[in-house]
Amino acid sequence: MKRIFDPFTRIEDSRDKLSGGNGLGLAIVKESMAVMKGSVIAENCRKGGLRITLLFVI
């Protein structure tokens, strides 16, 4: 989870460019949120899955 927002990070070894994704999506989200003075949090859900929370400052 520590590396999930790093550019070009793929958590699963089976994921590559041919199966989809370059590992940039969450890195772009993190940088976009920082530019807007917000933040993003990723956490595992108890019953499985991933929760991404975007916190905007108004």
Side-chain angles (χ1 to χ4, degrees):
M1 290 296 284
K2 293 179 182 181
R3 296 182 21 235
I4 197 169
F5 294 106
D6 293 347
F8 305 107
T9 296
R10 292 188 191 98
I11 302 304
E12 296 179 22
D13 292 336
S14 62
R15 300 283 299 196
D16 60 18
K17 290 181 184 178
L18 296 176
S19 66
N22 290 308
L24 292 174
L26 290 177
I28 292 169
V29 169
K30 179 183 176 185
E31 186 62 27
S32 298
M33 292 304 293
V35 167
M36 295 184 286
K37 305 292 191 253
S39 60
V40 59
I41 300 167
E43 57 189 333
N44 288 315
C45 297
R46 287 185 201 152
K47 294 183 179 181
L50 180 71
R51 176 182 294 134
I52 301 287
T53 304
L54 303 176
L55 302 169
F56 294 89
V57 176
I58 301 174

